[in-house]
Amino acid sequence: MSATIDPAVPPSGTGCAECERAGGWWVHLRRCAACGHVGCCDTSPAQHATAHWRETGHPLIRTFEPGEDWWWDYAADEYADGPALADPQHRPVEQGSPAPRERVPDDWRSLIHR
């Protein structure tokens, strides 16, 4: 097994770890395949998933969105493949996107997927 993937580690939570601490919001979520860190995507204001890769060197992520199953390799800058990871496989469906709803600025509210 690659040192950059630990299929047994669960996700760090149901939202972006840093946005939750800072009271921020996100568009979509990404899950680190090495440590389970859940961070926000590059469409999100803070781009915490990419920042996590830069800080830790963990290159492989998997989408943490319902109905999606793709992987990304930051180091190779391309899609990747990986094994099944520990549950849950995605954020709660009822959470919607962007989220958390109460923190999303008014100019983004029309884009919320319920």
Side-chain angles (χ1 to χ4, degrees), residues 5 8 14-15 27-28 30 36 38 59-60 65 67 72-73 82-83 86 102 105 110:
I5 299 175
T14 60
V27 178
H28 297 293
R30 310 296 180 233
V38 175
L60 296 173
E65 291 296 311
W72 184 257
D73 182 336
E102 67 276 5
S110 65

Side-chain angles (χ1 to χ4, degrees), residues 3-96:
T4 60
I5 299 175
D6 183 347
V9 68
S12 62
T14 60
C16 175
E18 291 83 4
C19 287
E20 289 287 18
R21 283 193 297 274
W25 61 279
W26 55 86
V27 178
H28 297 293
L29 298 172
R30 310 296 180 233
R31 174 184 178 174
C32 177
C35 70
H37 173 271
V38 175
C40 55
C41 71
D42 285 353
T43 306
S44 302
Q47 303 177 355
H48 287 122
T50 299
H52 176 75
W53 165 60
R54 288 185 180 127
E55 292 166 9
T56 64
H58 298 165
L60 296 173
I61 60 164
R62 186 179 179 281
T63 179
F64 200 55
E65 291 296 311
E68 298 180 357
D69 63 0
W70 55 266
W71 288 70
W72 184 257
D73 182 336
Y74 284 112
D77 196 29
E78 64 185 15
Y79 287 99
D81 291 313
L85 299 176
D87 285 334
Q89 299 299 307
H90 56 78
R91 64 162 172 81
V93 174
E94 62 276 5
Q95 180 177 321

